[in-house]
């Protein structure tokens, strides 16, 4: 076969929100390296570099085939010199020497371990490393003052760093469903985040809560939280009230990508029993399916003597009024890069400001209403991309 025949012409549009990105990734050997470099840049507080690596990885994730030669990169967006060097290295040597050197560096490993603690960001990790703390064990022994979130993060470190399965997410969903139904009948909950995009595991479980009657959702979060707490489901929670109405800088333009909904960052206590109940309640006839038998087997494993019969799971809860629901759903479904690209597209290509609350047209000087995600994509002049294809 000639080299010419080997070169497939690849082309993708430049914004991630213009492309369909499924979980099927033909270029993981490249995207793993670029993602590690992105992660490292983010932990070093170099967000610009981090985004550049993430954009490059997202372009490769959207390709229909594995890249086999540098020529195929011609005309692809978001691949700067640095990223091309990483890709060439992998094509020629099988690995990226830069990614490998990073993976093995003491600093990267210390940053990864410390920012892996719930409640610890890049700046805190850096400060601790300068104090000579390079691991979770060293932090435990250091006697450093920790805030409530960090204490919980340390206490449940192993559980929180173990991926959450879909079965566990469904079991948490049942509990949140019960909580919401008992404090506000008629309220609706939606699974958002990675699980809505079809991921099989996640670092947490994300839910969006609303009520079909505008205003009925006000003050809902504290009630849901106290119900959950009274039933012993919460190991940790921090609730933030809605600050959207008080904001002065305009609802569609929050100072960061952070929104202002009533929200709760929490750690749930999920027992093996609850997990089992969720499985049997949702699929009463599924015992004939080999897949569900496998899941039950796994559950037995984790529940056997010597192990604690429960695990800690990170859960994010958000409450939105129905009038903002479509924006909140779109904003909390992710991926983070997809969201970032949607906002960039809105601003640069459409002169609009998109947030998890609203879409503002800066030319017409008015808010554009939407009752569904489809309507928001239409306002933005984008083809609708379903959640399973937002895995940029
Ligand atoms: N999000 C947000 N504000 C935050 C945290 C998260 O708007 N303070 C949004 C993110 O932009 C993302 C969604 O919530 O769209 C889910 O975030 P996260 O749970 O961090 O990521 P997932 O995509 O769910 O991935 P994972 O499976 O690792 O949880
Ligand atoms: Mn560079
Ligand atoms: Mn998530
Ligand atoms: Mn989350």
């Amino acid at each position: 076969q000639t080299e010419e025949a080997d070169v497939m012409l690849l082309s993708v549009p430049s914004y991630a929100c213009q492309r369909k990105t499924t979980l099927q990734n033909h270029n993981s050997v490249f995207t793993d390296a670029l993602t590690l470099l992105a992660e490292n840049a983010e932990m070093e507080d170099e967000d610009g570099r981090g985004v550049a690596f993430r954009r490059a990885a997202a372009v490769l994730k959207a390709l229909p085939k594995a890249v086999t030669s540098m020529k195929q990169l011609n005309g692809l967006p978001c691949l700067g010199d640095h990223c091309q060097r990483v890709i060439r290295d992998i094509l020629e040597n099988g690995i990226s020497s830069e990614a490998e050197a990073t993976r093995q560096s003491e600093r990267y490993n210390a940053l990864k371990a410390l920012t892996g603690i719930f409640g610890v960001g890049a700046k805190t990790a850096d400060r601790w490393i300068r104090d000579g703390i390079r691991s979770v064990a060293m932090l435990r022994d250091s006697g450093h003052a920790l805030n409530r979130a960090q204490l919980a993060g340390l206490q449940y470190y192993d559980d929180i760093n173990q991926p959450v399965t879909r079965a566990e997410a469904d079991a948490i969903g049942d509990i949140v469903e019960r909580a919401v139904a008992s404090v506000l009948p008629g309220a609706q909950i939606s699974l958002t985040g990675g699980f809505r995009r079809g991921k099989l595991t996640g670092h947490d479980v994300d839910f969006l809560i609303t009520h079909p009657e505008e205003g009925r959702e006000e003050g809902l979060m504290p009630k849901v939280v106290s119900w959950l707490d009274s039933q012993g489901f919460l190991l940790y929670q921090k609730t933030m009230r809605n600050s959207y109405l008080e904001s002065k800088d305009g609802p569609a333009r929050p100072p960061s990508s952070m929104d202002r909904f009533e929200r709760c960052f929490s750690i749930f206590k999920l027992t093996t029993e609850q997990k089992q109940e969720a499985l049997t309640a949702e699929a009463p006839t599924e015992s004939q399916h080999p897949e569900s038998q496998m899941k039950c087997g796994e559950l037995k494993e984790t529940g056997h003597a010597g192990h604690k019969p429960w695990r800690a799971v990170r859960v994010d809860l958000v409450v939105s009024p129905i009038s903002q629901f479509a924006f909140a759903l779109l904003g909390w479904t992710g991926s983070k890069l997809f969201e970032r690209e949607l906002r960039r597209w809105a601003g640069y290509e459409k002169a609009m400001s998109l947030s998890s609350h609203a879409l503002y047209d800066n030319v017409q000087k008015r808010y554009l209403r939407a009752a569904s995600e489809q309507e928001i994509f239409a306002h933005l002049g984008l083809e609708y991309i379903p959640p399973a294809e937002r895995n940029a």
Side-chain angles (χ1 to χ4, degrees):
Q1 214 177 9
T2 69
E3 199 185 338
E4 280 309 306
D6 208 36
V7 173
M8 55 169 179
L9 281 176
L10 298 170
S11 130
V12 299
S14 61
Y15 289 84
C17 54
Q18 297 173 287
R19 314 186 290 250
K20 295 173 186 293
T21 313
T22 64
L23 289 168
Q24 195 183 8
N25 176 1
H26 303 281
N27 286 288
S28 53
V29 58
F30 307 106
T31 60
D32 286 352
L34 292 167
T35 301
L36 183 136
L37 295 173
E39 214 173 36
N40 184 245
E42 287 157 3
M43 291 192 301
E44 293 289 6
D45 227 5
E46 296 169 1
D47 285 345
R49 266 159 46 80
V51 177
F53 284 129
R54 295 231 180 248
R55 281 204 192 115
V59 164
L60 299 183
K61 281 184 202 170
L63 298 179
K65 282 183 178 181
V67 168
T68 51
S69 91
M70 289 303 286
K71 280 188 185 162
Q72 295 167 330
L73 304 182
N74 281 340
L76 289 181
C78 309
L79 300 177
D81 291 346
H82 194 156
C83 293
Q84 296 213 25
R85 221 157 52 228
V86 172
I87 297 166
R88 179 178 296 113
D89 201 7
I90 296 172
L91 284 172
E92 288 172 1
N93 308 309
I95 57 161
S96 154
S97 52
E98 186 185 359
E100 284 316 305
T102 304
R103 196 196 304 280
Q104 282 158 33
S105 81
E106 193 174 303
R107 170 132 181 116
Y108 169 82
N109 284 289
L111 282 168
K112 183 113 178 126
L114 296 178
T115 60
I117 304 168
F118 173 68
V120 178
K123 289 198 176 78
T124 305
D126 178 60
R127 188 155 34 80
W128 287 343
I129 291 170
R130 283 189 276 114
D131 287 347
I133 296 167
R134 291 184 313 275
S135 68
V136 171
M138 287 170 91
L139 178 66
R140 282 203 169 100
D141 295 341
S142 73
H144 258 72
L146 302 174
N147 65 30
R148 207 167 61 84
Q150 294 160 350
L151 281 171
L154 261 195
Q155 192 173 356
Y156 307 113
Y157 186 82
D158 291 340
D159 275 6
I160 290 175
N161 282 288
Q162 185 194 322
V164 181
T165 65
R166 179 66 208 219
E168 289 167 337
D170 290 339
I172 300 277
D174 286 355
I175 295 167
V176 175
E177 199 76 75
R178 275 162 59 202
V180 168
S182 34
V183 300
L184 182 64
Q188 295 163 359
I189 78 164
S190 310
L191 183 64
T192 63
F195 285 111
R196 182 162 183 252
R197 302 196 308 274
K199 281 178 63 182
L200 297 176
T201 61
H203 96 282
D204 68 357
V205 197
D206 307 282
F207 295 100
L208 177 60
I209 306 167
T210 191
H211 190 284
E213 233 176 283
E214 185 85 2
R216 291 288 300 280
E217 81 295 339
E218 272 173 44
L220 179 57
M221 191 69 86
K223 291 178 195 157
V224 170
V225 167
S226 70
W227 188 92
L228 289 167
D229 200 28
S230 71
Q231 304 285 314
F233 289 129
L234 291 182
L235 297 167
Y236 167 90
Q237 66 85 17
K238 182 175 164 68
T239 304
M240 280 140 282
R241 65 196 167 88
N242 186 333
S243 59
Y244 179 69
L245 295 170
E246 302 149 28
S247 65
K248 297 197 180 81
D249 51 356
R253 276 179 261 177
S256 70
S257 62
M258 287 289 278
D259 58 69
R260 301 189 173 82
F261 291 113
E262 247 193 330
R263 72 173 74 200
C264 178
F265 296 128
S266 72
I267 302 174
F268 268 52
K269 179 176 185 171
L270 181 66
T271 66
T272 310
E273 213 171 83
Q274 286 152 359
K275 226 154 79 171
Q276 189 72 66
E277 274 168 24
L279 280 178
T280 49
E282 263 161 38
T285 59
E286 251 194 16
S287 56
Q288 292 122 351
H289 296 299
E291 202 189 340
S292 88
Q293 279 171 358
M294 195 185 74
K295 278 185 203 155
C296 293
E298 281 172 10
L299 291 178
K300 260 187 215 141
E301 265 294 282
T302 57
H304 72 65
H307 291 247
K308 62 181 173 35
W310 58 271
R311 70 161 291 191
V313 181
R314 274 272 299 112
V315 177
D316 287 339
L317 304 173
V318 183
V319 172
S320 133
I322 191 75
S323 60
Q324 297 170 22
F325 177 76
F327 297 99
L329 184 62
L330 179 59
W332 280 82
T333 296
S335 68
K336 284 198 180 96
L337 183 75
F338 191 90
E339 303 295 336
R340 199 177 181 123
E341 294 278 278
L342 271 176
R343 292 192 298 266
R344 192 165 68 97
W345 168 270
Y348 280 79
E349 307 294 332
K350 298 286 156 181
M352 294 179 185
S353 307
L354 175 69
S355 75
S356 293
H357 296 277
L359 179 62
Y360 185 77
D361 186 319
N362 296 310
V363 177
Q364 295 184 60
K365 305 243 180 283
R366 66 179 184 100
Y367 288 98
L368 304 177
R369 305 204 151 271
S372 66
E373 291 180 318
Q374 281 85 347
E375 286 176 49
I376 303 172
F377 280 88
H379 282 317
L380 290 169
L382 290 168
E383 183 193 343
Y384 177 67
I385 310 282
E389 293 171 343
R390 296 180 203 160
N391 285 292

